[in-house]
Amino acid sequence: MVENPSKAKDAVIDLYERHARAYDRDRSRSLQERAWLDRFLGYVPPGGTVLDVGCGMGEPIASYLLQRGVHVVGVDAAQSMIDLCRARFPDSEWIAADMRELDFGRRFDGILAWDSFFHLDMDDQRAMFPRFASHMRVGAPLMFTSGPAEGVAIGTYCEEPLYHASLSPQEYEQRLVTNGFVVRAHVPEDPTCGQHTVWLATYEGRSAVQ
């Protein structure tokens, strides 16, 4: 039991920074996410550009996107992760930045936040939906993973607490719709994808409702 979830929340970026090499070693390359990635890519035009938010070290997800012929702009708050991406995929764009501060002044053909968005606390997650919308072209897909129900969960990595949080499914849907998205698929704890809870939506281009 972690006595101070707030401390765990604030330590997420530093944890990944310090353990980038271990994560690179431990991260499965089996690509159990393939079916979801293919569904996501079905909404991305050939040669389009995908913003990978919380890209980690670029494998296996960004690598797969590149193999499928799309361009990738990867963002991760851990500089050590970005350094690994740049070494492996030097022709792509990799940016060390906190997703909560994204402000590129450009729009993308898709945004992916797989196993990254759920490290934000609930209020920070709520604030991300208008930020996502401001970076998307009309018709572009947004795909992210969440928890199956509202709450905070503290896992462990390298024997250190690792923070996760989730809104309720009803609130995720409401936030998406309010910010101009249409939910295309939502599978809680998908048994074909390692029990990931996955959301796939497309941006319709409406202004966010305040």
Side-chain angles (χ1 to χ4, degrees):
M1 179 73 176
V2 175
E3 295 182 1
N4 191 345
S6 180
K7 185 176 180 180
K9 176 194 70 175
D10 294 338
V12 169
I13 295 172
D14 181 64
L15 186 151
Y16 279 114
E17 181 68 55
R18 289 183 290 104
H19 297 301
R21 292 287 179 181
Y23 185 78
D24 185 32
R25 176 197 67 215
D26 296 338
R27 176 59 160 99
S28 171
R29 267 66 165 183
S30 66
L31 208 63
Q32 64 180 356
E33 308 91 346
R34 184 193 305 269
W36 279 106
L37 293 173
D38 287 345
R39 194 167 184 176
F40 169 84
L41 288 169
Y43 294 98
V44 178
T49 300
V50 170
L51 179 64
D52 187 356
V53 179
C55 61
M57 74 302 184
E59 292 182 332
I61 289 180
S63 176
Y64 182 71
L65 298 177
L66 291 168
Q67 291 169 23
R68 288 291 307 273
V70 301
H71 300 284
V72 173
V73 175
V75 174
D76 201 283
Q79 182 67 55
S80 295
M81 294 288 193
I82 292 298
D83 290 343
L84 290 170
C85 290
R86 288 174 177 163
R88 287 170 181 162
F89 311 104
D91 294 332
S92 294
E93 185 178 356
W94 307 104
I95 301 167
D98 190 321
M99 72 173 77
R100 294 169 293 186
E101 300 172 358
L102 291 183
D103 187 15
F104 290 152
R106 56 194 280 206
R107 293 182 180 267
F108 296 87
D109 299 301
I111 296 180
L112 182 64
W114 190 274
D115 285 358
S116 57
F117 179 63
F118 60 18
H119 287 310
L120 302 182
D121 69 22
M122 294 180 192
D123 284 341
D124 284 339
Q125 288 189 34
R126 293 176 178 117
M128 284 301 300
F129 289 100
R131 198 172 292 273
F132 285 144
S134 71
H135 287 84
M136 306 195 77
R137 295 193 174 101
V138 174
L142 167 68
M143 189 164 72
F144 63 92
T145 51
S146 72
E150 182 176 335
V152 172
I154 308 296
T156 59
Y157 187 65
C158 291
E159 300 182 348
E160 297 183 38
L162 182 58
Y163 179 92
H164 307 77
S166 182
L167 307 178
S168 69
Q170 294 79 11
E171 184 172 357
Y172 279 125
E173 183 166 8
Q174 182 268 324
R175 296 273 170 186
L176 286 163
V177 170
T178 296
N179 285 281
F181 292 90
V182 171
V183 177
R184 301 298 181 181
H186 167 230
V187 178
E189 299 181 311
D190 184 354
T192 71
C193 190
Q195 302 300 312
H196 282 85
T197 294
V198 187
W199 292 86
L200 175 62
T202 54
Y203 180 61
E204 289 193 340
R206 298 193 302 269
S207 298
V209 177
Q210 301 300 318

